[in-house]
Amino acid sequence: MQVSSWYRPLLAGLLCLPLSAMAADSGSQSDDSTPVYGPRLEGFSYPHEVDIYRFESQRQPLEMAYMDVAPEGEANGRTAVLLHGKNFCGATWEGTIEALTQRGYRVIAPDQVGFCKSSKPEHYQYSLHQLAANTHDLLKQLGIDNATIMGHSMGGMLATRYALMYPEATEQLVLVDPIGLEDWKAKGVPYHTVDQWFESTRKTSAEGIRDYQKSTYYAGEWQPRYDKWVQMQAGMYRGEGKFINAWSQAKTYEMIYTQPVVHEFDQLQVPTLLMIGDQDNTAIGKSFAPPEVQQQLGHYDQLGPEIASRIPHALLIQFPELGHSPQIQAPEQFHQALFRGLEELDNRDS
């Protein structure tokens, strides 16, 4: 295994589609509002240099894209690892990367296998355990033995699994509107096969993404700056990679549904900061559930305090007016709260 900042396409047949122009400045597009990005988000610019971690997993060569951003000014000796959500990428952490590096943190922001600029193998057994192991191996290659693990949305589920698997390597755990605060299957959301998820995911459009994000991520409000993240996601469904992206998304939807972490929060052994936008209403598969079940799902204003009470020595911060993505919706408010929370966790440990 090795880490390298230069890029060479993998010729892995159906295991991974061909790549080009990993960090090009702009994608081909039909007009200014409809960019077309490659199978691995070729054409979409990240805020920092993208490096590639090459490794073997499940009998195939894979690549994991990541940003490794040095602190600005004097380093504080700490590393923060930022884990993106399902409809997000490492790039969507750009504001938080800036805030953390200004505070002296080294920041690692990977794209998980199956997402964004990383490999999208057709045949891969996705699990939170596997993604956590991939991330842990990347950090070992980078010489990082201990870090603040911060996850948003699906990344919050992954960060929880990571902290459960590697408590000795987790200095602090930060969960930002994590999904998985409830067991959707146990609450009555019907199971969807990977094939069913694939068929629904193939219909992804910018309009649908925007409508969903407005209602869930941003508490019913919209600002033009959010469109960048809509087009980041939609652009991959306009290009040659639309089918492999839909397939990867389908398999990871099934992963999330069948691998709840909610039953293990009381087993966390690390200092934990839980940050919740109370207007969040995320629930995987909610639209497939009967109306009476839908009404019971995604109440983050209630789920936040409930889960915080189950995590040993957790600190809960709530944002009453914000939705699923508080770090994007209100970055200054969010980052002020983040550093207050991290400082309080430090004071508890001292």
Side-chain angles (χ1 to χ4, degrees):
M1 293 185 289
Q2 68 181 69
V3 179
S4 174
S5 61
W6 59 274
Y7 166 72
R8 180 171 57 192
L10 283 176
L11 301 176
L14 290 176
L15 296 178
C16 183
L17 297 184
L19 311 176
S20 62
M22 172 68 80
D25 288 334
S26 61
S28 60
Q29 51 190 46
S30 56
D31 59 57
D32 289 341
S33 63
T34 56
V36 178
Y37 299 126
R40 280 176 54 176
L41 201 52
E42 296 92 340
F44 184 89
S45 294
Y46 273 34
H48 301 277
E49 181 181 359
V50 176
D51 291 317
I52 299 296
Y53 169 54
R54 294 179 174 81
F55 63 107
E56 296 279 336
S57 179
Q58 299 184 20
R59 302 182 61 188
Q60 60 189 301
L62 296 176
E63 295 189 340
M64 193 170 175
Y66 68 97
M67 291 176 284
D68 184 353
V69 188
E72 298 182 18
E74 184 177 354
N76 65 11
R78 288 179 156 178
T79 299
V81 179
L82 308 184
L83 305 180
H84 63 77
K86 191 176 193 306
N87 297 323
F88 303 82
C89 296
T92 51
W93 283 113
E94 64 178 5
T96 303
I97 293 172
E98 181 179 3
L100 286 164
T101 54
Q102 288 177 351
R103 290 292 187 109
Y105 283 84
R106 176 186 180 183
V107 177
I108 310 297
D111 286 345
Q112 296 299 322
V113 169
F115 294 88
C116 308
K117 290 186 180 291
S118 291
S119 295
K120 296 183 173 71
E122 183 176 4
H123 304 293
Y124 200 66
Q125 183 173 330
Y126 284 98
S127 71
L128 295 172
H129 290 78
Q130 178 69 73
L131 299 184
N134 294 347
T135 302
H136 189 247
D137 288 344
L138 165 63
L139 297 180
K140 285 195 299 183
Q141 280 293 116
L142 294 172
I144 299 170
D145 298 321
N146 194 267
T148 294
I149 307 297
M150 184 171 176
H152 169 240
S153 192
M154 179 202 77
M157 287 187 80
L158 177 56
T160 300
R161 179 58 59 202
Y162 186 98
L164 289 166
M165 293 173 66
Y166 309 108
E168 72 290 342
T170 306
E171 182 179 13
Q172 295 171 321
L173 175 64
V174 181
L175 304 177
V176 182
D177 282 81
I179 60 172
L181 298 182
E182 55 190 338
D183 186 336
W184 306 291
K185 174 181 176 295
K187 286 191 171 183
V189 175
Y191 175 77
H192 260 50
T193 67
V194 173
D195 292 320
Q196 288 173 315
W197 277 117
F198 177 63
E199 288 304 314
S200 63
T201 304
R202 286 178 60 187
K203 302 172 185 177
T204 299
S205 68
E207 181 180 6
I209 294 169
R210 189 178 293 106
D211 289 344
Y212 176 72
Q213 290 190 4
K214 180 179 180 179
S215 64
T216 300
Y217 294 3
Y218 307 117
E221 299 180 355
W222 191 260
Q223 296 185 27
R225 61 188 177 89
Y226 303 152
D227 272 307
K228 175 180 180 180
W229 309 122
V230 171
Q231 297 302 339
M232 177 190 71
Q233 187 180 355
M236 288 187 287
Y237 288 93
R238 299 187 183 110
E240 61 178 331
K242 59 184 178 182
F243 291 108
I244 193 61
N245 273 287
W247 183 242
S248 298
Q249 290 292 303
K251 295 190 77 173
T252 49
Y253 267 126
E254 202 265 355
M255 171 190 77
I256 291 169
Y257 175 90
T258 58
Q259 298 175 35
V261 296
V262 64
H263 308 295
E264 299 174 74
F265 280 116
D266 58 352
Q267 299 178 31
L268 286 169
Q269 304 171 30
V270 301
T272 302
L273 175 61
L274 180 60
M275 308 182 74
I276 296 293
D278 285 349
Q279 300 302 310
D280 193 354
N281 54 30
T282 305
I284 296 297
K286 181 166 65 173
S287 61
F288 306 127
E292 63 274 15
V293 173
Q294 292 185 26
Q295 295 172 8
Q296 303 174 28
L297 303 173
H299 298 288
Y300 271 65
D301 57 334
Q302 302 171 25
L303 291 169
E306 177 186 333
I307 296 302
S309 70
R310 292 177 46 199
I311 299 174
H313 312 298
L315 173 62
L316 172 66
I317 295 177
Q318 293 177 268
F319 303 100
E321 305 302 323
L322 302 182
H324 184 64
S325 299
Q327 77 279 22
I328 299 174
Q329 186 179 3
E332 184 175 352
Q333 178 185 358
F334 173 82
H335 293 123
Q336 288 177 352
L338 170 65
F339 292 119
R340 285 199 306 270
L342 292 175
E343 183 177 0
E344 183 169 339
L345 291 183
D346 282 338
N347 292 335
R348 288 181 178 185
D349 290 340
S350 60

